[in-house]
Amino acid sequence: MSLHFSQKMTVNLRKIGFTVLITLLSAGAIPFAANLRVVFSTPSVLAQTSDARKAEADRLFEQGIEQFQTSQYEAALQSWQQALTIYREIKNRQGEGNALGNLGAAYYSLGDYPKAIGNDNGLLTSSEILDLKLHAELVVLSACDTGKGKLTGDGVIGLYRSLISAGVPSVIVSLWAVPDAPTAALMMEFYQNLQKNPDKAQALRQAMLTTMKNHPEPKNWAAFTLIGEAE
């Protein structure tokens, strides 16, 4: 079986590989002619292409913000959808997340509430987490009330339970609305302790004791609890 190509052709080594090209030439599958042009896709060229695509996506994203601020919600929706497509193509996760979040706001402003709260608006739900395969050793949910959930016959079902079911062995959650400044201080202490001691429970306990010195009220330091494995 032989492959037939036109005499005027371009071979992209990034697609077929140099070894494959040489094999095809040797076997006579590709007629080696003087006008055969081989194109090498170098990493620098690919990086420049990716940077140009990101710049275009960023432009569309900012354009959408300007349109949204002037109540041009349909136009903003189109701009952010185009930006989202590019961000996904170049695998820019931060841009993808920002675009998805803004799309939710645009749908909400247009009164399309089902799409505003749909699965593709940048919001991660407990049911979506259950479908994931996670390999993180620890997830910290440091926002307010992250330990709450729906009470069922099987116990409380919330984000932390979904994370554990998805493969995360340890989750830290808050039991009530936490204040910003003390929580930031506590989390900084916790991560510093965790670098010295892999025992997550001890690292959290020590962070609480340290935070308690400057913020003595229990609401400021006692909200967080570790669920799952300590080490």
Side-chain angles (χ1 to χ4, degrees):
M1 177 180 177
S2 62
L3 302 176
H4 300 283
F5 298 87
S6 63
Q7 293 297 316
K8 294 183 179 180
M9 57 181 297
T10 297
V11 178
N12 191 324
L13 292 184
R14 182 169 174 265
K15 293 183 178 179
I16 69 174
F18 184 76
T19 302
V20 176
L21 174 62
I22 295 302
T23 302
L24 291 172
L25 288 171
S26 301
I30 296 180
F32 191 83
N35 57 2
L36 174 65
R37 184 163 63 93
V38 179
V39 177
F40 291 86
S41 294
T42 63
S44 60
V45 172
L46 296 176
Q48 291 173 6
T49 302
S50 179
D51 289 344
R53 295 288 285 162
K54 182 180 182 302
E56 174 64 12
D58 291 344
R59 184 192 67 78
L60 288 166
F61 184 82
E62 293 298 328
Q63 175 179 288
I65 292 177
E66 294 176 1
Q67 292 165 334
F68 186 85
Q69 291 174 340
T70 55
S71 302
Q72 301 177 65
Y73 303 128
E74 287 284 1
L77 192 66
Q78 294 179 9
S79 295
W80 286 330
Q81 285 173 335
Q82 293 174 28
L84 175 62
T85 299
I86 298 175
Y87 283 134
R88 283 177 167 170
E89 287 176 356
I90 62 177
K91 302 186 186 307
N92 187 307
R93 298 293 288 172
Q94 181 178 355
E96 180 181 348
N98 291 338
L100 284 170
N102 283 10
L103 282 172
Y107 281 123
Y108 183 87
S109 298
L110 289 168
D112 194 341
Y113 303 121
K115 287 186 178 180
I117 62 174
N119 293 330
D120 200 24
N121 66 350
L123 301 178
L124 186 63
T125 64
S126 296
S127 59
E128 290 172 331
I129 293 174
L130 286 171
D131 296 329
L132 301 176
K133 297 292 183 182
L134 302 178
H135 302 285
E137 295 182 3
L138 170 69
V139 171
V140 178
L141 303 175
S142 59
C144 297
D145 302 306
T146 54
K148 291 185 177 181
K150 183 179 181 181
L151 183 61
T152 69
D154 295 324
V156 178
I157 297 179
L159 284 176
Y160 73 87
R161 186 164 177 176
S162 297
L163 287 164
I164 290 176
S165 297
V168 179
S170 308
V171 182
I172 290 179
V173 299
S174 62
L175 301 178
W176 55 77
V178 293
D180 292 338
T183 299
L186 188 149
M187 285 298 154
M188 185 176 296
E189 286 291 333
F190 168 70
Y191 287 118
Q192 290 175 347
N193 294 337
L194 195 60
Q195 289 181 328
K196 304 172 185 176
N197 182 1
D199 189 318
K200 305 178 187 72
Q202 287 297 323
L204 180 60
R205 178 179 181 275
Q206 190 58 47
M208 288 180 171
L209 292 175
T210 302
T211 305
M212 184 173 59
K213 295 177 183 179
N214 296 323
H215 306 278
E217 294 187 29
K219 69 177 183 179
N220 293 327
W221 57 267
F224 292 96
T225 185
L226 173 69
I227 300 174
E229 300 176 4
E231 294 186 10

